[in-house]
Amino acid sequence: MPTKKLLSAPSLIAAALAVLMVLSGSPAGAQSGPTVTDGVTESVFPDGIQFRVTAESDADIEEIRLRYEILPDGTAANAVPDFEPSTRVEAGFILDVYLAPGTIIEYHWQVTDAEGNTAKTETKSFVYDDVRFEWAAAEGDGVTIYYYSGSEGDAQSMHRVAVQALDEMSVLLDAEIPFDVHVWIYESVDDMRPALARRSESYESRVITAGVRVATNTVLVLGNVSFDTLRHELTHVVTAQAGESALGTLPAWLDEGTAVYGQDDPGGFQDAVERAFARGNVLSVREITAYPGDPQKVDLFYGEGWSLVSYLVETYGEAKFAQLFAEVKSGERIDGALETVYGFDQDGLEDEWREANDLPARETQEPESQETDAPSVVPKTDDGGSSIVMILIIVGIILTLAAGVGGLGIVLARKL
């Protein structure tokens, strides 16, 4: 009967170490690589988001990167904080690009040590709130109204208007809104100004922003019961979804005209265009493909855009109007899109619109006269025409010189 051989204690320890080395796949004493810990992330509104990180390794930490994406449609980006390489590093970074209130950012940290070993944190989400106020919310049906002043009843009324406006404009433009929409209501101009993209002091002193779409899914509104401002800005959410893409961009008159059309009452914008009708000094359609630089033309710009949109919808119907947006989104320029859908370009639209509103015909610039005393450059032709012209010119010069010499001879003869 065979006898069992018992291992001594030192042999057992050696065997256990061998098993551990096999399981770990690395020799005893090898570096374990870096570890990285996400620190406290906080809003420092309106100056951005403060990120913090801690990293450790047996070798010096040589690179730290913050990789992030701004939702819902931002592109991936990364940032590198300043730090001194060491085996233990604490670093921070402030993301100070413009961010709308309520922006969601997904991010993670990645570190690399001197040996080339890397580690990263799990991906997290952070909501960039306007931490100056205590916000309440009225939400449902894909819309959230955030407010810090006014009554809950006012907020609920704004919520009902928002849902209705999005539904009506989505039907008009045959568009779907595949994300939740967020509305932030501010009580005063001073409260809202830090939440807007930074402008020059002169601009901010002259312009009061009543509402603005600051992100694909976010609008800011001034006032607790500003129903038409809310309708206007939410229409921009729909126009962007229906007509904007990497391939196409809406002209200003169509985008803003549709937003005014989405209001219950065009108000002063209608008054401005009617005064221009009476005077016969409306802006040309091509003049308002971009926003006017003259503040005195702003109301007329919005009013004329509304009038043009009203004409297209009421004359040709909603289906063609929605098709116009789809054509622009697909990459068609506005003139080509109008030709495809209606059979005329912007000039043709203006001609019809002027006639419908009893305006004189659009002024067209007469081509400049091509008549000149003599061409400064002889055009080159492929059939040798330029050579013939040059020969004729040379002959003419010779005859002129000959005549001049002959005339000089006659004068001298007379004197003699």
Side-chain angles (χ1 to χ4, degrees), residues 125-345:
S125 294
F126 180 80
V127 180
Y128 179 60
D129 284 332
D130 185 342
V131 293
R132 298 173 299 159
F133 307 107
E134 293 288 336
W135 297 90
E139 55 189 322
D141 297 321
V143 178
T144 302
I145 303 289
Y146 297 96
Y147 64 102
Y148 61 88
S149 66
S151 67
E152 181 181 354
D154 290 342
Q156 292 294 343
S157 296
M158 289 285 275
H159 184 268
R160 285 192 295 272
V161 169
V163 172
Q164 180 186 25
L166 287 170
D167 287 346
E168 290 176 354
M169 291 300 104
S170 295
V171 170
L172 174 66
L173 300 180
D174 192 22
E176 291 185 9
I177 306 301
F179 43 76
D180 290 345
V181 176
H182 303 278
V183 179
W184 297 77
I185 301 177
Y186 285 87
E187 184 181 25
S188 69
V189 173
D190 289 340
D191 285 354
M192 190 166 81
R193 184 168 285 133
L196 302 172
R198 295 180 180 90
R199 305 276 190 153
S200 67
E201 289 185 9
S202 61
Y203 178 91
E204 291 184 350
S205 65
R206 291 184 292 110
V207 177
I208 294 177
T209 302
V212 61
R213 180 178 70 93
V214 290
T216 300
N217 63 341
T218 305
V219 302
L220 309 185
V221 174
L222 182 63
N224 296 306
V225 287
S226 301
F227 298 126
D228 259 351
T229 301
L230 179 62
R231 291 186 183 95
H232 184 109
E233 300 309 329
L234 290 178
T235 299
H236 280 308
V237 172
V238 184
T239 58
Q241 196 66 20
E244 299 275 351
S245 71
L247 301 174
T249 302
L250 296 169
W253 68 261
L254 181 57
D255 189 20
E256 291 296 351
T258 307
V260 178
Y261 187 80
Q263 299 175 198
D264 264 0
D265 180 6
F269 302 140
Q270 182 177 4
D271 296 339
V273 75
E274 288 180 351
R275 287 194 298 270
F277 286 159
R279 294 191 300 265
N281 63 343
V282 296
L283 305 171
S284 73
V285 174
R286 294 192 181 279
E287 196 176 351
I288 55 176
T289 54
Y291 292 87
D294 184 352
Q296 295 182 349
K297 294 181 179 179
V298 169
D299 282 354
L300 177 55
F301 159 75
Y302 280 95
E304 193 166 320
W306 163 79
S307 182
L308 288 163
V309 167
S310 300
Y311 175 78
L312 288 174
V313 175
E314 293 165 10
T315 305
Y316 295 100
E318 295 183 0
K320 283 194 171 186
F321 191 65
Q323 186 187 350
L324 176 63
F325 277 75
E327 291 292 334
V328 174
K329 186 171 186 177
S330 72
E332 280 276 13
R333 300 251 181 177
I334 184 59
D335 283 313
L338 284 166
E339 287 278 9
T340 299
V341 178
Y342 299 105
F344 49 69
D345 61 6

